[in-house]
Amino acid sequence: MQAAKLFEQKIKPPEVARRLRVSPKSAYQWHQLWRDGGVQALASRGPSGSRCRLSPRCLEKLAAYLDEGPATHRWVEDQAWTAARVATLIGRKFHISYSVSGATRLMHRLGFSPQVPARRVAERDEQAVTLWKEATWAEVKGPGRPAGATSASRTRQASRDNRPKDAPGADAATPRR
C-alpha cells in the first residue's frame, strides 16, 4: 500500500524502488498493476505456493502423534523423528502422500525439526570398540607428521642465510614463526 501512495504522488518507479528497498523490476510491476487496477490490484493475495493438504484438525493430530514419539508408531531403533518417518506417518494416519521435503516444511511449521539418527549397528559392543581403539588403532595409525613449522605452499621457504644483508627483515635478531 505504501507503493500505491507513492505512485499517487507521481513518484517514479525507480524512486519507489529505492525508498521501499525493492528491485526496480518489482516497482515497475507494481506500477503497472496500480495503473491497471488501482490500490486493490496491489493488495496481498496471501502466501504463494500450494496450500496445506492437511486440515487444521489433522495438523493438531499430527502434532500430538509427533509428541508421542517414534516408538509409539513402530520406530523402536531410536527416538528420532526423521522427515522420511514423518512422511510415512502422514501416509499411514491420514492417507495423504507427502514428500520428504514437504514433511520437513510441515514439521517446521508445527515447531519440530527433523533429526538424523546415528547410524550404528544394533548389536554394537562398546567395550570391544574401546579396546580396538586403544590396542589396534594405535598400531595402524602410524606416527603422523613430525612436529615443527609446516607450510601449505608448494615452494620451499627461503633460507635466512641466503638473504642479502640489506633485505627487509635481515637485521631481525630472532626468526619469526
Side-chain angles (χ1 to χ4, degrees):
M1 298 303 172
Q2 291 176 348
K5 289 178 185 175
L6 294 172
F7 293 141
E8 288 169 356
Q9 297 171 10
K10 306 265 192 253
I11 296 175
K12 302 286 183 197
E15 177 61 18
V16 171
R18 189 188 65 73
R19 288 186 188 184
L20 299 180
R21 296 182 180 169
V22 297
S23 69
K25 181 179 179 181
S26 293
Y28 277 107
Q29 288 174 339
W30 294 345
H31 189 255
Q32 183 67 41
L33 286 170
W34 174 77
R35 275 194 315 195
D36 295 343
V39 176
Q40 296 304 322
L42 294 177
S44 173
R45 294 176 187 86
S48 64
S50 60
R51 62 179 187 78
C52 183
R53 291 180 284 164
L54 293 176
S55 68
R57 185 167 177 239
C58 290
L59 287 173
E60 288 177 21
K61 283 185 176 180
L62 178 61
Y65 292 147
L66 295 176
D67 280 333
E68 291 172 355
T72 309
H73 301 281
R74 301 188 299 212
W75 285 286
V76 294
E77 309 87 54
D78 54 27
Q79 286 296 300
W81 275 121
T82 63
R85 287 179 180 177
V86 172
T88 303
L89 180 71
I90 292 170
R92 284 181 189 166
K93 299 293 184 179
F94 305 108
H95 307 289
I96 295 175
S97 176
Y98 261 83
S99 66
V100 173
S101 61
T104 300
R105 285 190 296 274
L106 196 56
M107 288 177 74
H108 284 290
R109 180 177 168 188
L110 294 174
F112 292 88
S113 63
Q115 301 148 11
V116 180
R119 299 193 183 274
R120 290 201 174 146
V121 187
E123 302 86 26
R124 181 178 165 119
D125 183 2
E126 291 296 332
Q127 190 176 16
V129 171
T130 306
L131 193 70
W132 182 87
K133 282 181 182 177
E134 290 172 356
T136 311
W137 180 244
E139 295 173 21
V140 175
K141 185 178 166 190
R145 280 188 135 175
T150 59
S151 173
S153 172
R154 291 187 198 186
T155 59
R156 288 187 327 168
Q157 190 174 10
S159 169
R160 296 180 74 71
D161 298 332
N162 296 341
R163 266 192 195 168
K165 299 298 179 206
D166 60 342
D171 59 342
T174 58
R176 292 171 52 181
R177 300 234 177 217

